[in-house]
Amino acid sequence: MKVKLKIQGKLLLYILSTSLLIYGIAFGYLVNLMIKDNVASAERTTDAIVQKYANLATSELKSDFDITRTIKDAVKKYPDFSPSEREKVFDPILKEVLNNHKNYLAVWYTWELNVIDPNYKLAHGRIQRGYYRLGGISSKTRDTVDITGENIGGIYYNIKTNPREVLLDPYISTFKDVRFKNDSLFMASSIVPMFYKGKFAGLVAVDVELDRFHDITENIKPYTDSQSFMVANNGNIVSANNKDFINNPLSKMFEEGVIDAEIMQKITSGKQITFYAQVNGQNSYVSISPMYVGGSVTPWSIGIIVPIDFVMNKVVIRTYVTGAVVILGLIIITLIIWFISGQLTFRLSGMTSVITDLALGDIHKSKLMKIHSQDEVSDMRTSVNSLILSLNKTADFATDIGKGNLDTEYKPLSENDKLGNSLLEMRQSLKQAQIDEKNRKEEDRKLNWATQGTAKFSEILRTNTDNLNAFTYAIIKELVQYVEINQGGIFIINDSNEDDKYIELAASYAYERRKMLQKRINFGVGLIGRCIQEAETISF
């Protein structure tokens, strides 16, 4: 036995089940979307921040190269001075730079002996001059290097054979400086080659302590538990949140095998890279951006490590909030459906008896219902009222047709009003029958008229055969009078003279009088001449 559900129950069952399905799909979609959106947002934010701090660190290193180039420009005339003048003129420049930049550990230059001494003929050998910090005070250093031969494995020989600006990888050196707790300093050097008369002549270098970059990496903390680092071209860490990693390979910050040869090759070549990796047991997003400084082909990089679990925590919180909103929404929808369906059931019940009576043919106007609102139910009542009125109108129209009143005005409800259109077709059929009857009578009248006319002209032909003028006149007179026109004429071709053929008016009749006219018309002249010559009817 089938259970008969009322509208209220059906609305609750169908709409709530559909709402649950839609909410479930939407909830799953939103959660998935939130996960993707939060992860993508974290990636974009991380990439933007790492790029920002890469630019900041680049500007720091660039300023060191700018000063190194400035020193190069200041000492480029060194070979033009005498040995006694060189120390007085150029050494103060180095000392001044060192004293004005507290993060510089040494400022120095080196010149090829064969450039500054014309009498020195060997391809190797150089002098080295500079200042370094000793106990917080600038101290001078003077050396003569590579007299016995080139150090082929050294950085100087590398730059000499391939002149270029170089940012040296970090290294540990010993300086006694009151600013530091120990003598071992983590430092790097910016090196710029010098040329004299188009020939490699030496280089200028600034040794910079790298502790200042710790402030940069310390400030990079876009998310809780995120880590940042700066790595040199050789893959060693320059600065990190955890100082224990400094001067260690980058791979030490990750699980074994994460920093493979491919990633190191990208870092060494200065490419911006991103990847996911396990860091301290957490799945993390890693973004690394290069720092190109001056003409150096050995870029350093800055990177950020962001644990994805932190991003997921935000998603979980949003999921709980979204779920609570979904449940609250379902409760509200249930209450609204219950109220609306109850009102709808009550209002629809009043229409049932009226529609039942219409189905039985009772279309009395007393069945018209009152309209109290402007909604779909009211539209239904309006439609039922329109149906009652239209059925009454159709009944009246049918009655008029039955009485023979075929001109009664009637307009169907629409092009799909089958009953109304059928009545109109019936009326049209009746009208057409009347028209056909009228046309038949008119045809009979015309036939009688033609028959009578034929008889009259036959009589004229029979009685007027010996006199052409009398014959033509009789014909034109009878024709003008019979067809009830004003005037007419008969023209004939006069060919009595083969050399002078023309058209001649044989007889004419106008306004109930005989017209005695003589008229000659040549072929092709006027309407008569054209009509006879062309042998075609002309009417206008």
Side-chain angles (χ1 to χ4, degrees):
M1 180 178 179
K2 292 184 179 179
V3 179
K4 185 177 181 180
L5 289 176
K6 292 185 177 181
I7 291 179
Q8 189 173 28
K10 289 181 179 180
L11 286 174
L12 284 173
L13 176 62
Y14 298 150
I15 296 180
L16 281 181
S17 59
T18 303
S19 298
L20 284 171
L21 177 62
I22 293 174
Y23 266 112
I25 295 173
F27 183 70
Y29 174 76
L30 285 175
V31 171
N32 183 60
L33 189 63
M34 282 190 294
I35 293 174
K36 292 182 178 180
D37 183 62
N38 278 270
V39 171
S41 176
E43 291 176 354
R44 289 192 299 269
T45 301
T46 302
D47 293 343
I49 290 174
V50 77
Q51 182 64 54
K52 170 187 173 182
Y53 281 95
N55 294 336
L56 178 62
T58 299
S59 64
E60 287 279 331
L61 292 171
K62 182 177 178 299
S63 65
D64 297 335
F65 266 100
D66 289 341
I67 292 173
T68 307
R69 295 190 197 100
T70 301
I71 297 172
K72 181 199 73 171
D73 292 337
V75 302
K76 64 183 179 180
K77 297 294 184 180
Y78 187 90
D80 297 336
F81 287 76
S82 65
S84 60
E85 293 175 323
R86 291 168 182 165
E87 184 173 342
K88 295 178 181 180
V89 174
F90 297 105
D91 285 3
I93 296 174
L94 304 183
K95 184 176 182 181
E96 181 70 15
V97 171
L98 185 64
N99 290 336
N100 290 336
H101 296 82
K102 302 303 181 183
N103 59 324
Y104 288 0
L105 300 177
V107 180
W108 51 275
Y109 58 75
T110 179
W111 285 94
E112 290 283 312
L113 288 174
N114 56 26
V115 172
I116 62 175
D117 185 358
N119 298 320
Y120 191 85
K121 302 302 181 182
L122 297 177
H124 54 81
R126 54 192 171 93
I127 63 164
Q128 188 167 293
R129 300 286 186 269
Y131 282 85
Y132 66 96
R133 295 191 185 280
L134 182 62
I137 300 173
S138 300
S139 300
K140 184 186 294 186
T141 177
R142 301 181 184 85
D143 296 298
T144 302
V145 187
D146 296 339
I147 297 297
T148 59
E150 298 279 11
N151 179 10
I152 296 177
I155 185 64
Y156 181 84
Y157 182 80
N158 186 287
I159 297 175
K160 179 178 179 179
T161 54
N162 183 21
R164 66 195 186 282
E165 293 183 351
V166 175
L167 175 63
L168 287 185
D169 290 322
Y171 57 93
I172 301 293
S173 186
T174 301
F175 287 93
K176 294 182 179 180
D177 195 314
V178 295
R179 296 177 300 154
F180 304 101
K181 295 180 180 180
N182 53 57
D183 293 340
S184 297
L185 300 178
F186 194 46
M187 58 185 289
S189 300
S190 59
I191 300 175
V192 176
M194 293 190 296
F195 297 88
Y196 185 77
K197 295 182 179 181
K199 176 183 177 182
F200 177 81
L203 53 82
V204 176
V206 173
D207 298 336
V208 184
E209 56 90 8
L210 299 177
D211 189 61
R212 60 176 169 152
F213 289 108
H214 182 71
D215 293 336
I216 293 178
T217 52
E218 187 67 27
N219 290 328
I220 307 176
K221 207 155 183 76
Y223 300 102
T224 304
D225 297 332
S226 63
Q227 301 181 60
S228 58
F229 57 86
M230 181 185 296
V231 60
N233 190 258
N234 64 353
N236 284 350
I237 297 173
V238 176
S239 178
N241 298 125
N242 186 349
K243 290 187 176 182
D244 293 338
F245 290 129
I246 294 177
N247 204 29
N248 283 291
L250 179 62
S251 57
K252 190 172 182 180
M253 295 185 67
F254 297 85
E255 304 292 338
E256 185 178 354
V258 171
I259 306 300
D260 55 16
E262 182 180 359
I263 290 179
M264 283 308 307
Q265 191 276 330
K266 291 180 179 179
I267 293 175
T268 301
S269 60
K271 293 182 179 179
Q272 184 164 354
I273 58 173
T274 59
F275 58 91
Y276 281 89
Q278 289 292 320
V279 180
N280 297 327
Q282 291 182 307
N283 187 31
S284 302
Y285 177 72
V286 183
S287 179
I288 301 176
S289 184
M291 302 185 303
Y292 281 95
V293 183
S296 173
V297 294
T298 55
W300 292 8
S301 301
I302 277 186
I304 301 179
I305 304 172
V306 178
I308 297 302
D309 289 344
F310 171 77
V311 179
M312 292 300 103
N313 290 336
K314 289 186 176 181
V315 175
V316 171
I317 295 174
R318 292 183 181 180
T319 302
Y320 287 145
V321 173
T322 304
V325 172
V326 169
I327 294 173
L328 178 61
L330 287 173
I331 293 174
I332 294 174
I333 287 177
T334 302
L335 295 176
I336 292 174
I337 294 174
W338 181 266
F339 175 77
I340 293 176
S341 60
Q343 291 291 318
L344 182 61
T345 302
F346 174 76
R347 295 175 65 188
L348 288 176
S349 61
M351 299 175 58
T352 304
S353 61
V354 175
I355 296 175
T356 301
D357 291 340
L358 290 178
L360 296 175
D362 185 358
I363 60 173
H364 196 273
K365 291 184 179 180
S366 62
K367 302 296 181 182
L368 293 174
M369 295 175 287
K370 295 181 179 180
I371 308 299
H372 298 289
S373 60
Q374 298 293 328
D375 54 23
E376 286 77 4
V377 176
S378 298
D379 292 341
M380 292 173 64
R381 290 193 170 201
T382 300
S383 298
V384 173
N385 288 345
S386 298
L387 177 60
I388 294 172
L389 294 174
S390 65
L391 289 175
N392 277 273
K393 182 180 177 182
T394 302
D396 294 340
F397 179 62
T399 300
D400 287 341
I401 292 177
K403 294 178 180 180
N405 299 327
L406 301 183
D407 292 327
T408 302
E409 289 292 332
Y410 179 78
K411 185 178 181 180
L413 298 177
S414 69
E415 62 180 11
N416 298 319
D417 184 1
K418 189 171 183 179
L419 176 59
N421 288 324
S422 297
L423 289 174
L424 289 176
E425 290 177 2
M426 181 182 71
R427 182 180 70 175
Q428 186 62 34
S429 297
L430 293 174
K431 283 185 175 183
Q432 187 62 44
Q434 289 181 344
I435 294 172
D436 292 344
E437 177 64 19
K438 184 179 179 180
N439 290 338
R440 185 185 63 76
K441 291 180 179 180
E442 179 65 18
E443 289 295 328
D444 290 343
R445 186 190 66 79
K446 290 179 179 180
L447 181 61
N448 291 333
W449 180 83
T451 302
Q452 292 173 6
T454 301
K456 285 184 179 184
F457 284 101
S458 296
E459 180 63 21
I460 293 173
L461 290 173
R462 186 177 63 80
T463 60
N464 294 277
T465 58
D466 55 349
N467 188 326
L468 180 61
N469 289 333
F471 173 72
T472 57
Y473 174 72
I475 289 293
I476 194 63
K477 177 183 177 183
E478 188 64 31
L479 180 61
V480 168
Q481 290 177 348
Y482 196 75
V483 298
E484 298 178 350
I485 59 178
N486 292 328
Q487 57 184 326
I490 294 178
F491 293 85
I492 62 176
I493 298 174
N494 190 331
D495 57 356
S496 59
N497 184 353
E498 289 296 329
D499 297 328
D500 184 22
K501 292 182 179 181
Y502 60 91
I503 303 167
E504 181 180 8
L505 176 63
S508 64
Y509 186 84
Y511 304 102
E512 300 182 358
R513 291 183 182 181
R514 183 172 185 171
K515 298 295 182 178
M516 303 301 293
L517 300 174
Q518 290 185 353
K519 189 172 184 180
R520 171 188 173 123
I521 302 173
N522 293 326
F523 287 92
V525 177
L527 294 175
I528 302 299
R530 283 174 52 204
C531 180
I532 293 176
Q533 186 178 37
E534 296 174 3
E536 291 185 0
T537 301
I538 298 176
S539 61
F540 58 93

